Amino acid sequence: MNYELFDVIVIGAGIGGLVTATQLAAKGAKVLVLESYLIPGGSAGYFQRQEYTFDVGASMIFGLGDKGTTNLLTRALEAVNVSLESIADPVQIHYHLPNGLDIKVDKNYEKFLQNLIAYFPQEEKGIRSFYGECQKVFNYLNSFELLSLEEPGYLLRVFFQQPLACLGLAKYLPRNVGDIAKHYIKDPLLLKFIDIECYCWSVVPAAMTPMINAGMVFSDRHYGGVNYPQGGVGKIAQKLVEGLEKYEGKIQYQARVTKILTEQGKAVGVQLANGNIYHAKKIVSNTTRWDTFEKLMPADKMPNNEKNWQQKYQKSPSFLSLHIGVKASVLPARTECHHILLEDWEKMEFAGGTIFVSIPTLLDPDLAPTGYHIIHAFTPHWIADWQGLSPSEYEEKKEQAAGAIIERLEKIFPELDAGLDYLEIGTPLTHRRFLGRTDGTYGPIPKRKLWGLLGMPFNRTAIPGLYCVGDSTFPGQGLNAVAFSGFACAHRIAVDLGL
């Protein structure tokens, strides 16, 4: 047993956990981060094969801008005196969609609107009005420092500083994108485009996507922009760890927490798989809420509010991922970094329906050998479809699924199969194994249409001393969103500790 008492123990070194840890360390708290894997980052990690450096997850990164208050990753790094070079991406996504929709989302806002209006000239007014509403939400968010909405002193201070922005933002909290889009837009095909605009980061269509989240994503891409970290996405977590250690915070790897310890109903410590026990005044779980309350805590003692939350939200699918090394000649001239491919609107939400593509070497060529590129293609898949297979059946299914994706991608990259140099296939089982997330899920999605963001829980839980951070807390999924949850969690804990 370890008798050293920490102020805060953080379970998991994903971005939400690391932002929480670094914010608290910078305020003078004694912090310990426990990470089950060999490196930090979670789904924002990396791995190396041959001469390729692959991102585990997507490489479309918000929050690394240099202005405003919504550049949360930049602010998190600056808080612990570390910095990271990044490369601006001039086009956020190139959509390849049914009905001949071939649309690029340029960083330049007006250029994007013109691209869209060219396909839907009769909807120009509706397009400008809808995306204008998104800009309003973003401008409200960007007018004040984003911290814990659970802390009354912060809310009062912000309200007195920016009363109109607070009232404006409150109006959008219960609203979803679909309702607002339909208010301005009538063309069913354009509404389907709004659906995939939401689906590509929320994994649900517009009717299920909170307007607050869309306001951030649809507008920040034209403000702070998409910026790729030089050296790969894994550099963000590495730099946060560097900053944590500068401020005397500690991190342990291969430290798998198996139990959150409680005394008289209060969280007081954790136990590791090797039997080691650590104690702290506050415990932060950067695992999913399913892992936290069904695995790390006794499932039969789950608080009622967590049971209620599980009635409203379900696990999103995991992903089938292809990490591909290809000859540079495979990519046509003027290929963009990020693509979405969908051939049938009816299959947008099906397993394998929508394919997401990142080519980070178009921004940072050093991630691949000279003369080669990385293509990371991934598509939603459910873990149930990959269970109960023999080793040979599993390998055969992987090869078939990868072959089908490569065949579809050849519509964009005609020489892909011939130019293949390296291929690694990851399934939902891979995601569960390496990311430690139940069923390999991407995060929570609504089971039914909800009141915007009002159903998402904040950082405090019903168990005193236990907090949650990451994509199953407000405001949800995405690196910048989990960084927001990290800022909020650290702020709430700092106030609770009297820092």
Side-chain angles (χ1 to χ4, degrees):
M1 181 176 298
N2 187 306
Y3 287 100
E4 186 177 6
L5 178 66
F6 292 90
D7 289 318
V8 182
I9 289 173
V10 179
I11 305 166
I15 297 300
L18 288 174
V19 170
T20 304
T22 49
Q23 286 287 301
L24 287 165
K27 291 176 170 71
K30 188 176 180 182
V31 180
L32 171 66
V33 179
L34 298 168
E35 168 56 45
S36 62
Y37 194 49
L38 302 166
I39 59 170
S43 53
Y46 73 98
F47 64 96
Q48 292 173 311
R49 296 288 186 272
Q50 297 176 11
E51 295 178 66
Y52 295 99
T53 299
F54 292 109
D55 297 322
V56 169
S59 55
M60 193 186 337
I61 308 301
F62 295 92
L64 281 174
D66 57 5
K67 58 183 179 177
T69 63
T70 58
N71 54 345
L72 295 167
L73 293 172
T74 299
R75 287 176 53 212
L77 294 164
E78 287 175 347
V80 282
N81 289 317
V82 290
S83 61
L84 180 59
E85 292 296 317
S86 63
I87 304 146
D89 187 355
V91 173
Q92 188 221 2
I93 289 182
H94 184 175
Y95 286 107
H96 309 264
L97 303 174
N99 307 92
L101 289 182
D102 187 280
I103 293 171
K104 292 185 181 184
V105 180
D106 280 84
K107 182 181 179 185
N108 181 288
Y109 179 61
E110 184 58 32
K111 192 172 181 185
F112 160 61
L113 292 185
Q114 292 295 347
N115 290 346
L116 194 54
I117 290 163
Y119 282 93
F120 303 98
Q122 76 285 4
E123 289 278 15
E124 177 170 2
K125 184 180 177 184
I127 289 168
R128 290 189 180 278
S129 297
F130 168 70
Y131 285 101
E133 288 269 314
C134 295
Q135 295 274 341
K136 272 188 204 174
V137 172
F138 178 76
N139 290 336
Y140 292 143
L141 286 166
N142 201 32
S143 65
F144 45 75
E145 191 178 9
L146 301 174
L147 293 171
S148 176
L149 302 183
E150 293 182 280
E151 208 280 284
Y154 162 73
L155 292 177
L156 205 59
R157 187 170 71 251
V158 166
F159 185 79
F160 279 115
Q161 289 171 350
Q162 300 282 352
L164 295 178
C166 290
L167 292 170
L169 203 55
K171 182 182 79 172
Y172 288 102
L173 268 174
R175 306 188 71 186
N176 292 308
V177 178
D179 295 333
I180 291 175
K182 284 178 181 173
H183 178 72
Y184 294 113
I185 292 166
K186 301 299 175 234
D187 189 303
L189 183 56
L190 179 53
L191 289 171
K192 286 186 183 297
F193 176 76
I194 304 294
D195 274 334
I196 201 159
E197 278 262 81
C198 293
Y199 184 80
C200 71
W201 51 270
S202 69
V203 207
V204 285
M208 310 272 271
T209 301
M211 187 61 182
I212 296 276
N213 298 49
M216 176 77 94
V217 174
F218 292 167
S219 304
D220 194 28
R221 63 191 185 186
H222 307 293
Y223 179 81
V226 172
N227 297 280
Y228 188 77
Q230 194 156 5
V233 172
K235 289 289 183 188
I236 300 171
Q238 289 176 324
K239 285 288 186 180
L240 285 169
V241 169
E242 183 186 319
L244 174 71
E245 292 176 334
K246 267 188 186 183
Y247 282 83
E248 300 182 2
K250 295 180 180 178
I251 184 165
Q252 282 186 26
Y253 298 105
Q254 294 182 285
R256 184 167 67 87
V257 174
T258 54
K259 189 190 250 184
I260 294 170
L261 304 175
T262 60
E263 286 179 8
Q264 298 177 327
K266 179 183 177 184
V268 295
V270 299
Q271 182 172 327
L272 305 189
N274 64 9
N276 284 355
I277 288 174
Y278 296 93
H279 288 95
K281 298 172 187 173
K282 307 292 180 186
I283 309 296
V284 179
S285 176
N286 188 202
T287 62
T288 71
R289 289 188 105 83
W290 294 281
D291 290 293
T292 302
F293 291 100
E294 294 175 8
K295 295 179 182 176
L296 301 182
M297 302 285 297
D300 60 344
K301 293 183 179 172
M302 185 187 296
N304 285 332
N305 64 337
E306 294 300 329
K307 292 176 185 173
N308 293 338
W309 181 78
Q310 290 195 15
Q311 294 301 311
K312 297 175 186 172
Y313 286 86
Q314 63 185 342
K315 286 168 272 191
S316 73
S318 185
F319 286 99
L320 177 73
S321 294
L322 272 59
H323 289 91
I324 310 170
V326 297
K327 292 176 182 174
S329 58
V330 166
L331 302 186
R334 295 186 295 282
T335 297
E336 306 299 346
C337 181
H338 298 105
H339 302 257
I340 297 285
L341 174 63
L342 175 66
E343 300 93 342
D344 182 347
W345 287 116
E346 297 302 314
K347 294 181 179 176
M348 182 183 82
E349 295 181 73
F350 287 18
T354 302
I355 298 177
F356 305 74
V357 178
S358 294
I359 314 173
T361 41
L362 288 169
L363 300 174
D364 187 352
D366 293 342
L367 301 173
T370 303
Y372 291 85
H373 278 292
I374 285 169
I375 296 178
H376 178 198
F378 50 106
T379 184
H381 262 246
W382 297 99
I383 199 166
D385 296 334
W386 293 88
Q387 292 174 316
L389 303 173
S390 69
S392 60
E393 288 170 336
Y394 180 64
E395 289 303 318
E396 185 180 348
K397 181 166 181 163
K398 277 169 61 174
E399 294 295 331
Q400 287 176 348
I405 289 173
I406 287 169
E407 188 177 329
R408 289 170 65 190
L409 288 176
E410 288 198 311
K411 293 166 189 169
I412 310 173
F413 315 115
E415 304 298 319
L416 178 56
D417 193 40
L420 214 61
D421 176 60
Y422 181 85
L423 173 63
E424 181 132 349
I425 307 162
T427 72
L429 295 176
T430 319
H431 286 267
R432 183 178 67 181
R433 178 184 172 194
F434 288 103
L435 302 181
R437 296 172 66 88
T438 185
D439 296 342
T441 180
Y442 175 65
I445 55 175
K447 286 185 178 180
R448 58 187 183 276
K449 188 176 176 182
L450 299 173
W451 290 96
L453 263 183
L454 293 181
M456 280 299 282
F458 295 116
N459 303 105
R460 282 193 294 191
T461 72
I463 296 165
L466 177 62
Y467 303 74
C468 284
V469 72
D471 52 34
S472 44
T473 62
F474 183 96
Q477 299 160 354
L479 279 200
N480 212 27
V482 298
F484 185 164
S485 83
F487 273 94
C489 190
H491 176 221
R492 181 63 262 182
I493 291 172
V495 172
D496 291 346
L497 287 173
L499 294 177

